[in-house]
mmCIF file of all heavy atoms in Angstrom:
data_model
loop_
_atom_site.group_PDB
_atom_site.id
_atom_site.type_symbol
_atom_site.label_atom_id
_atom_site.label_comp_id
_atom_site.label_asym_id
_atom_site.label_seq_id
_atom_site.Cartn_x
_atom_site.Cartn_y
_atom_site.Cartn_z
ATOM 1 N N GLN Y 27 -43.327 90.667 -49.258
ATOM 2 C CA GLN Y 27 -42.845 92.032 -49.443
ATOM 3 C C GLN Y 27 -41.630 92.244 -48.553
ATOM 4 O O GLN Y 27 -41.437 91.537 -47.557
ATOM 5 C CB GLN Y 27 -43.919 93.065 -49.118
ATOM 6 C CG GLN Y 27 -44.192 93.273 -47.638
ATOM 7 C CD GLN Y 27 -45.142 94.435 -47.379
ATOM 8 O OE1 GLN Y 27 -45.815 94.926 -48.264
ATOM 9 N NE2 GLN Y 27 -45.201 94.869 -46.131
ATOM 10 N N PHE Y 32 -40.240 94.645 -38.988
ATOM 11 C CA PHE Y 32 -40.243 93.566 -37.993
ATOM 12 C C PHE Y 32 -39.512 92.307 -38.458
ATOM 13 O O PHE Y 32 -39.411 91.347 -37.702
ATOM 14 C CB PHE Y 32 -41.677 93.204 -37.592
ATOM 15 C CG PHE Y 32 -42.448 92.455 -38.658
ATOM 16 C CD1 PHE Y 32 -42.561 91.080 -38.604
ATOM 17 C CD2 PHE Y 32 -43.054 93.133 -39.694
ATOM 18 C CE1 PHE Y 32 -43.275 90.391 -39.579
ATOM 19 C CE2 PHE Y 32 -43.775 92.463 -40.666
ATOM 20 C CZ PHE Y 32 -43.887 91.080 -40.611
ATOM 21 N N LEU Y 50 -36.182 83.022 -53.136
ATOM 22 C CA LEU Y 50 -36.363 83.728 -54.402
ATOM 23 C C LEU Y 50 -35.216 84.680 -54.705
ATOM 24 O O LEU Y 50 -35.207 85.350 -55.726
ATOM 25 C CB LEU Y 50 -37.674 84.513 -54.373
ATOM 26 C CG LEU Y 50 -38.933 83.656 -54.262
ATOM 27 C CD1 LEU Y 50 -40.146 84.523 -53.999
ATOM 28 C CD2 LEU Y 50 -39.135 82.843 -55.521
ATOM 29 N N ALA Y 57 -38.611 88.141 -46.201
ATOM 30 C CA ALA Y 57 -39.146 86.831 -45.813
ATOM 31 C C ALA Y 57 -40.533 86.891 -45.204
ATOM 32 O O ALA Y 57 -41.060 85.869 -44.790
ATOM 33 C CB ALA Y 57 -38.188 86.146 -44.833
ATOM 34 N N VAL Y 61 -48.044 81.484 -48.657
ATOM 35 C CA VAL Y 61 -48.527 80.804 -49.848
ATOM 36 C C VAL Y 61 -50.051 80.790 -49.790
ATOM 37 O O VAL Y 61 -50.644 80.524 -48.743
ATOM 38 C CB VAL Y 61 -47.974 79.369 -49.925
ATOM 39 C CG1 VAL Y 61 -48.652 78.577 -51.024
ATOM 40 C CG2 VAL Y 61 -46.470 79.397 -50.158
ATOM 41 N N PRO Y 84 -49.682 99.107 -49.292
ATOM 42 C CA PRO Y 84 -50.238 99.175 -50.651
ATOM 43 C C PRO Y 84 -49.149 99.321 -51.704
ATOM 44 O O PRO Y 84 -48.177 100.050 -51.519
ATOM 45 C CB PRO Y 84 -51.133 100.421 -50.594
ATOM 46 C CG PRO Y 84 -51.506 100.547 -49.155
ATOM 47 C CD PRO Y 84 -50.303 100.081 -48.373
ATOM 48 N N SER Y 95 -47.416 70.975 -57.245
ATOM 49 C CA SER Y 95 -46.891 69.718 -57.777
ATOM 50 C C SER Y 95 -47.774 68.532 -57.425
ATOM 51 O O SER Y 95 -47.755 67.514 -58.117
ATOM 52 C CB SER Y 95 -45.472 69.479 -57.248
ATOM 53 O OG SER Y 95 -45.480 69.399 -55.828
ATOM 54 N N SER Y 123 -42.608 69.951 -52.024
ATOM 55 C CA SER Y 123 -42.427 71.303 -52.542
ATOM 56 C C SER Y 123 -43.625 71.645 -53.420
ATOM 57 O O SER Y 123 -43.892 70.954 -54.409
ATOM 58 C CB SER Y 123 -41.127 71.400 -53.349
ATOM 59 O OG SER Y 123 -40.956 72.708 -53.862
ATOM 60 N N ALA Y 143 -38.407 65.474 -42.692
ATOM 61 C CA ALA Y 143 -39.383 65.990 -43.656
ATOM 62 C C ALA Y 143 -39.001 67.422 -43.994
ATOM 63 O O ALA Y 143 -38.626 68.188 -43.105
ATOM 64 C CB ALA Y 143 -40.797 65.927 -43.086
ATOM 65 N N TYR Y 162 -28.602 60.068 -39.301
ATOM 66 C CA TYR Y 162 -27.224 59.697 -39.573
ATOM 67 C C TYR Y 162 -26.268 60.759 -39.063
ATOM 68 O O TYR Y 162 -25.179 60.460 -38.588
ATOM 69 C CB TYR Y 162 -27.032 59.465 -41.062
ATOM 70 C CG TYR Y 162 -25.635 59.031 -41.415
ATOM 71 C CD1 TYR Y 162 -25.210 57.725 -41.154
ATOM 72 C CD2 TYR Y 162 -24.728 59.908 -41.983
ATOM 73 C CE1 TYR Y 162 -23.920 57.319 -41.449
ATOM 74 C CE2 TYR Y 162 -23.436 59.513 -42.301
ATOM 75 C CZ TYR Y 162 -23.044 58.220 -42.021
ATOM 76 O OH TYR Y 162 -21.771 57.821 -42.322
ATOM 77 N N GLU Y 185 -49.330 67.697 -35.936
ATOM 78 C CA GLU Y 185 -50.084 67.372 -34.723
ATOM 79 C C GLU Y 185 -49.876 65.918 -34.302
ATOM 80 O O GLU Y 185 -49.882 65.000 -35.130
ATOM 81 C CB GLU Y 185 -51.575 67.615 -35.007
ATOM 82 C CG GLU Y 185 -52.504 67.287 -33.864
ATOM 83 C CD GLU Y 185 -53.954 67.494 -34.250
ATOM 84 O OE1 GLU Y 185 -54.420 66.835 -35.200
ATOM 85 O OE2 GLU Y 185 -54.619 68.321 -33.599
ATOM 86 N N VAL Y 198 -38.712 76.005 -38.074
ATOM 87 C CA VAL Y 198 -39.476 76.884 -38.959
ATOM 88 C C VAL Y 198 -38.513 77.931 -39.507
ATOM 89 O O VAL Y 198 -37.781 78.560 -38.736
ATOM 90 C CB VAL Y 198 -40.636 77.570 -38.207
ATOM 91 C CG1 VAL Y 198 -41.388 78.520 -39.118
ATOM 92 C CG2 VAL Y 198 -41.575 76.521 -37.627
ATOM 93 N N ASN Y 221 -21.323 65.701 -27.846
ATOM 94 C CA ASN Y 221 -22.617 65.021 -27.819
ATOM 95 C C ASN Y 221 -23.373 65.195 -26.505
ATOM 96 O O ASN Y 221 -24.506 64.754 -26.381
ATOM 97 C CB ASN Y 221 -22.471 63.532 -28.157
ATOM 98 C CG ASN Y 221 -21.569 62.800 -27.185
ATOM 99 O OD1 ASN Y 221 -21.284 63.288 -26.101
ATOM 100 N ND2 ASN Y 221 -21.108 61.618 -27.584
ATOM 101 N N ILE Y 225 -29.554 69.896 -27.447
ATOM 102 C CA ILE Y 225 -30.009 71.030 -28.249
ATOM 103 C C ILE Y 225 -31.520 71.207 -28.107
ATOM 104 O O ILE Y 225 -32.233 70.293 -27.674
ATOM 105 C CB ILE Y 225 -29.580 70.828 -29.723
ATOM 106 C CG1 ILE Y 225 -29.617 72.145 -30.495
ATOM 107 C CG2 ILE Y 225 -30.415 69.760 -30.392
ATOM 108 C CD1 ILE Y 225 -28.920 72.069 -31.839
#
Side-chain angles (χ1 to χ4, degrees):
Q27 75 173 15
F32 72 98
L50 296 170
V61 170
S95 60
S123 179
Y162 182 75
E185 178 183 60
V198 178
N221 60 17
I225 199 167

